[in-house]
Amino acid sequence: MTFAPAAFLTAQWRELAMLHYEIDPAVLAPDCPAGTEIATFEGRSFVSLIGFLFRETRVLDVPVPFHQEFEEVNLRFYVRRRVDGKWRRGVVFVREIVSSPVLALAARALYGERYLALPTRHRLESGEEETRATYGWTFESRESQLSVTVSGPASIPQPGSAEEFLVNQPWGYTRRGPSRTLEYRVEHPEWKIRNAVASALDCDVARLYGKTFVAALAGKPSFAFLADGSAVTVFTGATIDLATGQGSPVP
């Protein structure tokens, strides 16, 4: 059964600070939704910690009151699903942090995403040669933050590059049960990026994301960059039950 998706959420996603770490795929396997498999680049699997700004947020084309600009910080990894003989590349979120309890509750209820409402903050510093983006949050009274410092002009990643693989992921997947998976599409133009000359992460990974992620996030990221972002549309999705072959629209 197929459904015609409609635009559920539109917004601007801007100044995306992205830290990408190589990780053992066995760590990700328990969170891999049914019908998907871990996606790799040149045999390597990745988990990414990303901070960015939401702006001009609208749900069903209605502006969200008091939530026109806010930060999000998320931890995600990469999967793919075979549909009609072609691969769909997408992401699975381990944890998403926003400042609004209302938005966190709505995302958990409608999409089953692992949103957590925490105090968040950001700082953008632009100099003559370098730009630094910092995103922070407070979890159980501990201050945490990630940052990237970039230099030089922004450019679109080369097709087939690691940067293109890590940035261009047009699908989202959520595990809804042993055989049920939510699939939804995310649409935006190609983003320009600037590779980082420095990056940093200060976070209690074990308490926030789980002990299995500590080893991967403890080292230096394999790739770090700042993406300029763009207007984004998140479409309504469908929950697919692989046991029955049936699907149902969400929301």
Side-chain angles (χ1 to χ4, degrees), residues 176-220:
R176 302 304 296 266
S179 66
R180 298 173 70 244
T181 296
L182 171 64
E183 178 184 69
Y184 58 93
R185 187 160 58 91
V186 180
E187 185 177 275
H188 62 76
E190 290 186 287
W191 290 337
K192 292 182 177 180
I193 67 168
R194 286 181 283 175
N195 286 314
V197 297
S199 64
L201 172 62
D202 179 10
C203 172
D204 188 337
V205 173
R207 294 177 69 185
L208 184 56
Y209 300 114
K211 294 181 180 180
T212 56
F213 289 94
V214 170
L217 299 183
K220 181 180 179 181

Side-chain angles (χ1 to χ4, degrees), residues 5-10 58-62 106-107 110-111 185 233-237 250-251:
F8 175 68
L9 179 144
T10 59
R58 303 173 72 92
V59 173
L60 300 177
D61 205 31
V62 177
L110 294 174
Y111 282 82
R185 187 160 58 91
T233 300
V234 178
F235 289 87
T236 55
V250 176

